[in-house]
Amino acid sequence: MKKYDLYYSFRSFTQKNGDISQIITDLMVETPLQIIINGQNHTLIMFTPQMVEELATGFVFTEGLINHVNQIEECIISLVHKDHGEEIMEARMTIPGYTVPAGVSVGKRISYSSCGICGTENYHNLKKGLGRVKSRQHFSMDILLAVSRNLESFQPLYSRTGGTHAAALFDPTGNIIVHSEDMGRHNALDKAIGSALLKGITPHDKIAVTSGRASLEMILKVARAGYPLFIAMSRPTSRAVEAARFYNITLVDMAKKTNRIYTHARRIKEFSA
């Protein structure tokens, strides 16, 4: 399979001080990924074409289709040429014992990069099987501030195109564990989670960081992965805060260099005394 380009260069125009000039702009690539489970089309995802197996693995896990990475018997990534000339990525996954839930339309779900719940017949299904995160780990606010600042160091595509989101996992001392980029914040988080699953990384003491806002589904993904602390770089939604409180996740936002703690501040050393 060929290696996909991650960005293309386009001619564009800009206006400054009344003068119009032509410039070259790098834009990120948007590619379709068809996830096929046991021979049946399951979901079509628009994504940035890197860390494909990690994305597919993270997606089926955070969607609750599997409970452990070992349930995936096989994941074959390939590039397919369609009749109309378009190329599409395919992730053919064999998950023994998986059956399509009743009422779900096979092959008709489309997940766009801007909305992870788009196309889901019943978003309440996303919460099935979730439990409260169990962790006694404490974290230093100095470390949280440092990892949020360091996130930009792992965003080469953003530096080039200005159009990607990032997700990363850090340990309690601020060391990077895994990181990813994607046009969609849900995809970026699924890539990071999938990478951690494939590497056998334990979740109970990890810090999850994302460049986007914390929404309900982002919290559900973090809860399913078992990460006790989630940092977002912009304001969370009201449902995100409610879900973080319920699932025992410490939710912090670092929007505009602030450090607002919304839930379970006891995990922050400076607040646990």
Side-chain angles (χ1 to χ4, degrees):
M1 187 182 72
K2 78 171 186 180
K3 183 177 180 180
Y4 251 99
D5 292 322
L6 299 178
Y7 58 87
Y8 291 149
S9 297
F10 291 86
R11 288 188 177 91
S12 58
F13 295 90
T14 185
Q15 191 270 350
K16 185 177 182 180
N17 298 326
D19 296 324
I20 297 176
S21 58
Q22 189 178 91
I23 59 173
I24 300 298
T25 302
D26 293 329
L27 300 179
M28 61 184 176
V29 169
E30 181 176 13
T31 303
L33 170 65
Q34 181 73 66
I35 294 181
I36 302 167
I37 301 177
N38 298 340
Q40 293 184 312
N41 290 350
H42 186 279
T43 304
L44 182 68
I45 297 175
M46 303 306 296
F47 83 121
T48 300
Q50 62 178 181
M51 299 180 68
V52 188
E53 183 179 3
E54 290 86 347
L55 172 57
T57 300
F59 177 83
V60 298
F61 178 78
T62 60
E63 289 286 301
L65 307 186
I66 62 170
N67 295 316
H68 195 280
V69 69
N70 289 344
Q71 292 176 254
I72 302 174
E73 184 177 277
E74 189 176 49
C75 180
I76 300 175
I77 308 299
S78 59
L79 183 64
V80 177
H81 298 269
K82 296 297 184 179
D83 293 337
H84 46 71
E86 184 180 10
E87 294 180 336
I88 183 173
M89 288 273 203
E90 286 187 351
R92 290 186 170 270
M93 310 185 79
T94 301
I95 305 176
Y98 172 76
T99 56
V100 179
V104 174
S105 300
V106 176
K108 293 185 178 180
R109 175 171 176 179
I110 299 177
S111 181
Y112 298 103
S113 62
S114 60
C115 179
I117 292 179
C118 294
T120 305
E121 283 80 357
N122 183 353
Y123 84 87
H124 293 289
N125 288 335
L126 298 174
K127 297 189 285 187
K128 288 184 177 179
L130 284 181
R132 289 169 61 82
V133 172
K134 296 179 181 179
S135 173
R136 296 183 179 275
Q137 182 67 47
H138 286 78
F139 304 88
S140 165
M141 181 56 73
D142 288 340
I143 295 295
L144 302 188
L145 291 168
V147 300
S148 65
R149 289 192 298 265
N150 291 342
L151 187 62
E152 290 186 7
S153 303
F154 305 101
Q155 294 182 262
L157 275 179
Y158 180 82
S159 297
R160 183 118 196 182
T161 68
T164 61
H165 283 287
L169 298 180
F170 295 86
D171 70 15
T173 63
N175 293 318
I176 187 72
I177 304 298
V178 298
H179 59 90
S180 64
E181 282 189 277
D182 198 275
M183 58 184 284
R185 56 198 174 90
H186 302 88
N187 293 346
L189 185 55
D190 277 342
K191 285 179 177 180
I193 291 172
S195 179
L197 290 171
L198 290 168
K199 294 176 180 178
I201 295 169
T202 56
H204 68 278
D205 62 346
K206 302 303 184 294
I207 304 165
V209 188
T210 179
S211 61
R213 71 179 182 276
S215 61
L216 169 63
E217 193 193 10
M218 298 288 275
I219 295 298
L220 297 181
K221 289 177 182 292
V222 171
R224 197 174 296 279
Y227 305 134
L229 195 145
F230 184 35
I231 298 175
M233 301 307 293
S234 64
R235 298 284 182 268
T237 66
S238 60
R239 286 201 174 191
V241 174
E242 292 169 0
R245 181 178 297 114
F246 181 82
Y247 289 109
N248 197 28
I249 295 168
T250 300
L251 175 59
V252 182
D253 92 52
M254 297 289 186
K256 297 180 180 179
K257 300 181 181 180
T258 60
N259 56 354
R260 294 176 175 85
I261 305 168
Y262 295 91
T263 57
H264 304 293
R266 70 183 187 283
R267 286 201 181 95
I268 312 300
K269 291 178 181 178
E270 291 82 352
F271 293 84
S272 60

